[in-house]
Amino acid sequence: MRLLLIGSGGREHALAWKLAQSPLLTELFAAPGNPGIAEHATLVAIDTESHPDVIAFCRDKAIDFVVVGPEAPLVAGLADRLREAGIAVFGPSAAAAQLEGSKGFTKDICARYGIPTGAYQRFNNAPKAKAYIRAEGAPIVVKADGLAAGKGVTVAMTVDEALAAVDDCFEGAFGEAGAEVVIEAFLDGEEASFFCLCDGSHVLALATAQDHKRVGDGDTGPNTGGMGAYSPAPVMTPEMVERTMKDIIEPTMRGMAESGHPFSGVFFAGLMITAKGPELIEYNVRFGDPECQVLMMRMKSDLLPLLYACAKGTLGEASVEWHDDAALTVVMASKGYPGAYEKNTAIAALPADSDGAKVFHAGTAVKDGQLVATGGRVLNVTALGKSVGQAQSRAYALADKVEWANGFCRRDIGWRAIERENG
Ligand code: AMP
Ligand code: GLY
């Protein structure tokens, strides 16, 4: 099978690495890719925002299947255009991608299908939003409705903080994404991420993970795209997984199909495990980054036929196997991230991969023959281990061999799971 992978992050490097191991694969292209992905794929410089260019490339290279990594091309309708052109694609339609693209849309599905989630209201003006906040009190959560690169959410511990967040949204801090605001009850519990493939009418549970969103050790400091992750998430016991499937994922799949927008792709459910059980915080319609890196390390099965089954509606016949080991990934970022950081700093040396340990590239490029850091999150050092603790030791041992003066990482990824392991 001839494949085109869309994207350029650590998630896409992990997908490329895993897809490249498939006996079904004959050739892998990636647009735009990165230097890590280049080890497994031919990089192509097409403008992925131009849907006609992507389709022309697929025709020219006789591409059988396109795998879309990030959410932006999905929300922009790339999967729709490819399907119209008769090209199989992994990833939802623009209408189905509203599950991630609009928090209000997702909340309305939850309300209609009785999916457990925080009580909420949608607002398109500040005075009404503020009146609701004053009536409800704090803690309370204020969310820009649209895609805000993970930055549109304020978990407000005081009413004043929530009121300020409403002003930020309506004053344009998140652009168009903040033109509507969702205000939601604060959910108290432990967070977990749950990944599940869907072909529109069948679901296949993948695995669980937990990430660390804050930049600093001890989960302190500003939010980021994620500074590390591990899988499985101990809080997601088999009972919690079963309840999540029955109470959250299956009704969502039914709801999407009944609304005329069946969902095909991956559900990435952000959950809060509260005293009442799993409640939905949000959906993403793509693999998590860096959660995908730990999932791919743990997956024993061939990924390619699973993703293809989502596109073809044959997921009901599929199953998936996992290594028993835990996996953990440490994100190495440019000093200053998530604030301003210097670009194009040299990465002098990367350690070789070893059995069950690997460095995925997220924001790198080769300039004048030198590997350089181009993004905020730059490398994902990932390892397997018999426990989260062992995976952590192995990941940090590898991270310590990275020679990159301008890089930093958190030193405590996985602490919650490791505390549990150590009793
Ligand atoms: P989101 O972008 O919706 O995932 O929100 C970002 C983060 O804000 C989540 O990962 C949670 O840590 C937190 N969060 C979002 N909604 C809630 C909520 N209703 N209660 C408590 N924390 C929340
Ligand atoms: N790591 C969180 C995300 O991919 O949204």
Side-chain angles (χ1 to χ4, degrees):
M1 205 181 285
R2 297 170 61 77
L3 252 75
L4 170 64
L5 172 67
I6 306 278
S8 65
R11 164 183 49 214
E12 287 76 25
H13 187 186
L15 292 172
W17 170 76
K18 186 70 185 155
L19 289 168
Q21 296 169 39
S22 173
L24 301 173
L25 184 78
T26 48
E27 189 154 14
L28 179 61
F29 295 91
N34 70 33
I37 296 171
E39 290 168 22
H40 316 288
T42 305
L43 303 193
V44 289
I46 42 175
D47 174 7
T48 55
E49 283 179 25
S50 165
H51 299 167
D53 286 5
V54 176
I55 289 165
F57 176 83
C58 291
R59 294 234 162 95
D60 183 40
K61 297 290 182 195
I63 298 295
D64 302 298
F65 186 37
V66 178
V67 175
V68 182
E71 64 278 17
L74 297 168
V75 173
L78 179 59
D80 304 74
R81 301 292 88 74
L82 286 164
R83 280 193 197 99
E84 286 158 15
I87 300 162
V89 55
F90 175 77
S93 65
Q98 284 304 296
L99 272 182
E100 174 163 0
S102 164
K103 294 190 191 292
F105 174 90
T106 299
K107 292 299 253 182
D108 289 351
I109 294 228
C110 290
R112 206 170 315 130
Y113 289 87
I115 295 168
T117 188
Y120 74 104
Q121 284 211 19
R122 305 172 69 165
F123 297 95
N124 57 19
N125 68 73
K128 284 201 173 136
K130 289 182 175 179
Y132 182 74
I133 288 169
R134 289 198 181 94
E136 293 291 313
I140 195 159
V141 182
V142 178
K143 301 185 174 184
D145 179 74
L147 289 181
K151 298 187 179 75
V153 174
T154 303
V155 179
M157 288 301 150
T158 64
V159 166
D160 283 347
E161 215 184 319
L163 298 178
V166 166
D167 283 332
D168 280 350
C169 283
F170 288 117
E171 283 165 12
F174 309 110
E176 272 297 294
E180 186 179 319
V181 166
V182 172
I183 299 184
E184 174 179 308
F186 174 78
L187 298 172
D188 196 15
E190 183 170 342
E191 279 188 74
S193 302
F194 182 69
F195 296 85
C196 181
L197 294 177
C198 185
D199 69 0
S201 50
H202 310 92
V203 281
L204 177 68
L206 291 179
T208 63
Q210 268 168 320
D211 75 343
H212 293 270
K213 288 199 170 68
R214 305 299 190 111
V215 74
D217 282 12
D219 296 322
T220 55
N223 266 326
T224 69
M227 293 303 290
Y230 52 96
S231 172
V235 70
M236 289 299 284
T237 58
E239 189 219 333
M240 287 300 164
V241 169
E242 200 182 310
R243 286 178 62 181
T244 302
M245 289 298 282
K246 195 166 126 299
D247 299 344
I248 297 179
I249 302 287
E250 286 167 13
T252 304
M253 176 183 77
R254 262 201 320 280
M256 295 303 291
E258 284 170 16
S259 73
H261 304 298
F263 183 92
S264 100
V266 59
F267 285 125
F268 164 5
L271 304 173
M272 190 71 84
I273 310 306
T274 70
K276 287 192 281 179
E279 299 197 43
L280 183 72
I281 297 177
E282 63 158 3
Y283 273 121
N284 298 303
V285 298
R286 35 108 192 147
F287 282 104
D289 191 348
E291 291 88 337
C292 185
Q293 289 77 316
V294 285
L295 256 49
M296 292 306 114
M297 287 290 269
R298 288 191 55 226
M299 186 182 280
K300 209 190 258 180
S301 305
D302 186 352
L303 175 68
L304 178 43
L306 295 176
L307 300 187
Y308 196 61
C310 293
K312 289 290 167 186
T314 54
L315 198 61
E317 300 148 32
S319 61
V320 59
E321 281 188 79
W322 301 90
H323 294 291
D324 290 332
D325 285 2
L328 181 140
T329 188
V330 175
V331 171
M332 298 191 73
S334 295
K335 285 178 185 163
Y337 174 81
Y341 54 84
E342 198 182 332
K343 286 202 175 166
N344 299 318
T345 57
I347 301 170
L350 286 183
D353 297 345
S354 61
D355 196 24
K358 178 159 182 63
V359 180
F360 292 111
H361 290 238
T364 68
V366 176
K367 293 210 167 129
D368 302 325
Q370 171 67 54
L371 186 68
V372 296
T374 52
R377 294 189 299 162
V378 173
L379 299 167
N380 308 143
V381 186
T382 312
L384 289 169
K386 294 276 163 248
S387 59
V388 176
Q390 192 187 45
Q392 188 204 52
S393 311
R394 296 180 69 195
Y396 280 119
L398 198 63
D400 289 340
K401 293 190 188 137
V402 172
E403 293 177 32
W404 174 33
N406 197 50
F408 79 97
C409 61
R410 277 182 59 165
R411 299 301 309 187
D412 65 344
I413 300 303
W415 66 267
R416 206 187 282 271
I418 294 167
E419 257 178 21
R420 271 208 179 105
E421 285 173 358
N422 295 340

